[in-house]
Amino acid sequence: MRSRKYRLQGAGLDLALPYLMLAPGLLIVLGVLVYPLWDGLRASTKAYRYGSVVADVGMQNYIKLWSDPQFLNALWVTIEFVALSVTFEAILGFALALFCLREFRGIRLLRTILIIPMVITPVVVAIVFRLIYASDAGMLTAISEWTGGGQVQILGSPVKAFFGLVVLDVWEWTPLMFLILLAGLQSLPHEPFEAARVDGAGNWRVFADLTFPMMRPVLAIAIVLRTIDAFGTFDQVFVLTRGGPGEATRLVSIYGYDTAFKFQQTGYAAALFVTIGLVVLALAFSAVRLLRRVDAS
Amino acid sequence: MTQSSRSRLTRRSVLKGGLGLALATTALTAIGLPVPASAAGKKVIIGAFADGGLTPFKQKIIPLAKDAGFDIEFLEDEYGVTLEKWFADAKNSAGQYDLYLLDDPWVPQFGAANVLENLGAAGIDGGDKDWIGSMIDMGYWPPQKGPRVKGFETAAPTLICVPFVGDLQTLTYRNDVYTSGAPKTWDEVIAKGKEGVAAGKIKYPVVFRGVSGNPIVTSWYPVFLSFGGSFFDDKWNPVFNSAEGKASAEFFVGTMKQNAPSGVVEFDSDQEGAAILGGEAGAIIQYSGNALKADDPTQTKVAGKLDFGIVPKQTAAIAQMGIFIAGIPKSAPNKANSVEFLKWYVSADIQAKLSEAGSIPVKRSAFGIAKPGNRLIPVALQQLDAGALPRPRTPDWAKVEELLGIELNKALQAGSGGGAALDNAAKQVKDYLSSVGYY
């Protein structure tokens, strides 16, 4: 009898244990992921004044976004920034990964050095770049004046400030691309490459017919990850330009932050971020579909 | 038998282990938590944005406060993040601060949200004749004078903030360039500045802040006021794009830019401070933060060559006021201490000490002490008497400043089009204020 009771307890525990083990994680996910999302969605349908809800406005905040020139400008700047940065990062990251695939003396040290930018806090990176770009006391101006030139104006010109921001992002995040692509390259099977070499294929033929096609899924994943991440770029812009000069580097993240916290339009800002979230989701789905199509072909 | 009992033992071990780990973590966390130090006095947690204008307070008044029995914790942040940080603290009743040292244009936003204590009810006398009138006026919400935003038309003005440091803009100029004293007009600033450049004494006649938003608007505002501009009419219609306003904007983005460092579009207070204290610029309109460094040879290359005067005029010599103003959040953990501290701080004795320490006081009697700690203090009083105006008392000033600042910054990049920039900004401001129910 005593032994049977124990067995029953054991069976009950067997049934309950998985749920008990999952419960803390589930609660955390509900608390920190689902609830804020739901609350954000709810806030996006309200009008706020002075930090408090004053009216239920349904979808008005979403409709208003598309006639807000500041939002549209910020969205366009963000798209340009993401497209340029991610393209350069993918090209450079792939080139570096191909280079570092070879084994030679010092390659381990080189690989380590190459990933350093990625591990530096973005705010610190932005401060360093500000010290490089500043027209009065920046490093570029110092070099220019030392070589007989004048002040270098980066942050005061809309086009140069924008490209200055792209350069910063490329410097910081190319290592991530490099790391993902290097891992991808190292996992490719050796046999096709050996066969191609035996058949007399040159470097370009090997790259065009084998490496690139085989790497396309990894490349696509790396690009999707970086694209999603680049859409949320905030720290570097906040420190480097605060969105200026004018609106030249004002990304949606900066505009959304100002709208929510500086101008206290919480509902409108929530609608903005939900919209951006949907845009990023749409991009991710498109990329995944593209990837499947590539795989199928 | 052996296998079965081992299996049960493992499940229990997992549960027991998990429970034990949780208890151990809790205990360790509890042990590891910093134990509050034994009370060294009446605790007051002050939040401030980093600014040189508060240096005398930090260096000279905080030690006095400690002697008076207050335990001051002074938490500083960068200007650009304090408004949102403190508003969130107050609105969510987080209780992280006892006292905010606000920039005065933020008072309406905190007032409209009803998150600050009524200091009049707490015993601070807003009617004391020793206050600088224009400064204490800024502590009331809704404002005692001027237009009021919708929803507050009939509300009784309440003292929610008290002036803390009486900062306002004045002119700092090079006395070896402007040899006959402070330049009286903007034309004189430019003409004599050019002579100083030609003589190799300076590199640029003027320097100012050109960054979008608050910096550029703050630099343009005294020029705008001196040209005779008004910002809003009494119905909150933007009128800053009047003929006077446009003339000031054209002068600012044209003449002033041509006579300033080439990178002025990206200049904020650190760069403009470096230009005047480093001996490159001839004149600057600024708040007290950098002006207080003018006589310190460790902070300027031109100690002894910098003098102060009231702002130049076109039609009037009017400066912008931008005082530090103190408010106690309703969620303050040490509310009674904060009220007591403020009463102590604004007393005539301590204001005199503040003036001796080199900071601009908020009580008139403190301007008259025998030895003010800085040459700027009597000039600040002259400027107050000549004319100094606060920014419009609206909770939406941050947005208005942002819209105007972007347009002015674009015109500054181009070096022309100041008038058109004001037209664009006026339209955007009107649209925005319409959308939030001003009309």
Side-chain angles (χ1 to χ4, degrees):
Chain A
M1 182 65 195
R2 192 182 171 107
S3 143
R4 192 175 169 193
K5 190 179 171 190
Y6 263 112
R7 274 201 301 277
L8 277 173
Q9 276 183 337
L13 207 56
D14 275 341
L15 280 173
L17 191 59
Y19 297 102
L20 284 171
M21 299 293 269
L22 278 174
L26 196 65
L27 281 173
I28 289 169
V29 168
L30 284 172
V32 304
L33 196 72
V34 178
Y35 174 74
L37 266 177
W38 175 77
D39 198 51
L41 279 169
R42 202 175 53 126
S44 71
T45 62
K46 314 274 184 201
Y48 285 73
R49 281 297 278 158
Y50 316 128
S52 302
V53 176
V54 289
D56 208 327
V57 293
M59 299 302 283
Q60 279 306 309
N61 284 332
Y62 291 93
I63 295 164
K64 199 172 135 190
L65 273 177
W66 301 103
S67 59
D68 175 354
Q70 290 188 298
F71 168 70
L72 295 175
N73 177 75
L75 184 61
W76 180 240
V77 172
T78 307
I79 290 169
E80 285 181 314
F81 168 76
V82 171
L84 265 175
S85 303
V86 176
T87 303
F88 279 118
E89 285 159 20
I91 294 168
L92 279 173
F94 206 170
L96 286 170
L98 284 168
F99 179 74
C100 289
L101 191 60
R102 290 180 286 179
E103 292 294 333
F104 54 86
R105 193 182 166 92
I107 185 64
R108 289 188 179 187
L109 179 66
L110 181 64
R111 284 175 191 155
T112 309
I113 290 171
L114 280 173
I115 61 167
I116 286 175
M118 187 178 88
V119 298
I120 302 175
T121 311
V123 170
V124 175
V125 173
I127 291 170
V128 170
F129 271 76
R130 192 170 170 79
L131 293 173
I132 293 171
Y133 291 157
S135 68
D136 58 338
M139 199 179 82
L140 291 178
T141 289
I143 293 169
S144 169
E145 286 178 347
W146 185 61
T147 55
Q151 286 189 336
V152 179
Q153 311 282 339
I154 304 276
L155 302 176
S157 150
V159 175
K160 289 178 190 168
F162 177 78
F163 280 103
L165 185 65
V166 170
V167 168
L168 181 157
D169 197 76
V170 168
W171 184 84
E172 187 170 17
W173 294 115
T174 296
L176 179 67
M177 283 282 190
F178 158 73
L179 211 57
I180 297 171
L181 296 174
L182 182 65
L185 285 169
Q186 285 175 333
S187 67
L188 294 181
H190 291 268
E191 295 79 8
F193 293 92
E194 285 163 3
R197 293 289 180 198
V198 169
D199 289 347
N203 285 343
W204 173 250
R205 268 279 59 93
V206 169
F207 175 77
D209 291 344
L210 289 176
T211 313
F212 189 72
M214 290 167 88
M215 279 294 290
R216 267 195 298 210
V218 181
L219 192 60
I221 287 168
I223 288 172
V224 169
L225 285 176
R226 258 312 287 150
T227 301
I228 291 169
D229 194 37
F231 255 94
T233 302
F234 178 83
D235 330 32
Q236 298 96 320
V237 193
F238 192 81
V239 174
L240 190 68
T241 63
R242 273 280 350 220
E247 298 171 282
T249 60
R250 185 149 78 163
L251 307 183
V252 279
S253 56
I254 295 283
Y255 182 56
Y257 171 85
D258 284 345
T259 304
F261 299 110
K262 209 163 145 188
F263 313 141
Q264 297 301 322
Q265 294 176 282
T266 316
Y268 188 57
L272 184 154
F273 283 121
V274 169
T275 304
I276 294 304
L278 291 174
V279 168
V280 173
L281 262 180
L283 274 174
F285 276 123
S286 314
V288 170
R289 284 190 65 180
L290 189 73
L291 196 64
R292 281 183 185 156
R293 207 177 299 166
V294 167
D295 279 349
S297 67
Chain B
M1 157 64 190
T2 316
Q3 199 170 352
S4 167
S5 47
R6 192 182 295 155
S7 166
R8 281 199 296 272
L9 191 66
T10 307
R11 277 198 303 269
R12 283 176 188 164
S13 296
V14 169
L15 290 172
K16 280 180 185 171
L19 186 64
L21 190 65
L23 288 171
T25 310
T26 310
L28 283 171
T29 310
I31 292 164
L33 277 176
V35 180
S38 59
K42 286 167 270 188
K43 182 94 178 167
V44 181
I45 306 166
I46 301 178
F49 52 85
D51 190 289
L54 288 170
T55 305
F57 170 76
K58 286 190 286 182
Q59 289 179 346
K60 302 283 173 64
I61 306 300
I62 289 182
L64 288 179
K66 284 185 178 163
D67 292 345
F70 295 102
D71 174 20
I72 305 291
E73 191 178 341
F74 195 76
L75 305 177
E76 265 181 314
D77 270 304
E78 193 261 322
Y79 180 87
V81 299
T82 40
L83 168 62
E84 41 268 46
K85 192 171 179 178
W86 297 343
F87 192 77
D89 175 76
K91 194 70 199 168
N92 299 321
S93 301
Q96 296 298 300
Y97 299 89
D98 292 314
L99 203 66
Y100 306 129
L101 300 189
L102 303 163
D103 191 7
D104 74 75
W106 303 343
V107 172
Q109 185 173 324
F110 283 80
N114 192 26
V115 290
L116 297 180
E117 282 293 322
N118 179 345
L119 299 180
I124 294 179
D125 181 11
D128 182 351
K129 298 293 177 204
D130 201 21
W131 288 111
I132 300 289
S134 51
M135 291 185 189
I136 191 68
D137 281 350
M138 287 191 245
Y140 283 91
W141 182 260
Q144 302 192 98
K145 301 168 191 163
R148 291 182 178 183
V149 297
K150 275 200 174 160
F152 297 94
E153 296 95 331
T154 55
T158 305
L159 186 71
I160 55 167
C161 288
V162 291
F164 201 82
V165 170
D167 217 350
L168 78 165
Q169 293 173 325
T170 52
L171 178 78
T172 303
Y173 65 95
R174 283 281 293 272
N175 54 25
D176 57 335
V177 174
Y178 302 93
T179 49
S180 48
K184 301 281 185 296
T185 64
W186 281 108
D187 292 341
E188 193 184 341
V189 170
I190 301 299
K192 286 199 175 168
K194 282 180 176 173
E195 288 171 20
V197 173
K201 293 176 180 170
I202 50 173
K203 287 186 182 174
Y204 321 100
V206 290
V207 63
F208 55 90
R209 296 196 277 167
V211 172
S212 270
N214 169 271
I216 193 169
V217 175
T218 302
S219 282
W220 166 73
Y221 212 85
V223 183
F224 166 71
L225 292 174
S226 76
F227 273 68
S230 301
F231 209 91
F232 287 114
D233 68 9
D234 59 0
K235 301 278 187 254
W236 293 106
N237 295 300
V239 292
F240 55 76
N241 57 336
S242 61
E244 294 83 5
K246 286 180 177 177
S248 73
E250 293 293 355
F251 177 78
F252 184 75
V253 304
T255 308
M256 283 184 71
K257 186 191 176 187
Q258 288 155 21
N259 290 282
S262 55
V264 75
V265 174
E266 60 173 277
F267 273 28
D268 206 340
S269 52
D270 46 354
Q271 288 95 342
E272 69 165 7
I276 191 75
L277 296 171
E280 294 187 343
I284 182 177
I285 289 185
Q286 60 181 354
Y287 282 102
S288 67
N290 284 322
L292 294 176
K293 300 171 186 167
D295 292 331
D296 181 353
T298 63
Q299 304 207 56
T300 174
K301 290 180 183 171
V302 284
K305 289 184 179 174
L306 294 173
D307 274 339
F308 308 118
I310 61 170
V311 300
K313 66 175 182 180
Q314 201 70 15
T315 60
I318 302 175
Q320 182 191 80
M321 296 178 77
I323 67 171
F324 295 85
I325 194 161
I328 300 174
K330 289 187 172 174
S331 56
N334 305 294
K335 215 176 287 180
N337 293 351
S338 306
V339 171
E340 195 181 333
F341 169 77
L342 276 183
K343 285 179 181 170
W344 172 83
Y345 176 80
V346 300
S347 66
D349 284 351
I350 301 303
Q351 284 298 298
K353 299 274 186 205
L354 184 71
S355 190
E356 275 174 24
S359 199
I360 303 172
V362 295
K363 292 280 184 82
R364 191 166 280 272
S365 58
F367 281 91
I369 62 164
K371 282 187 184 169
N374 195 288
R375 294 182 293 127
L376 179 67
I377 293 168
V379 178
L381 187 60
Q382 283 173 36
Q383 184 66 68
L384 281 167
D385 292 337
L389 291 173
R391 282 154 281 190
R393 313 315 283 169
T394 159
D396 294 288
W397 177 251
K399 180 72 179 180
V400 171
E401 197 173 54
E402 177 79 6
L403 294 169
L404 175 58
I406 286 171
E407 292 303 321
L408 274 175
N409 179 267
K410 286 179 183 172
L412 188 67
Q413 288 166 39
S416 62
L422 292 195
D423 280 338
N424 288 342
K427 185 185 176 306
Q428 290 172 35
V429 169
K430 176 97 181 176
D431 288 348
Y432 175 73
L433 295 182
S434 296
S435 74
V436 290
Y438 269 55
Y439 309 111

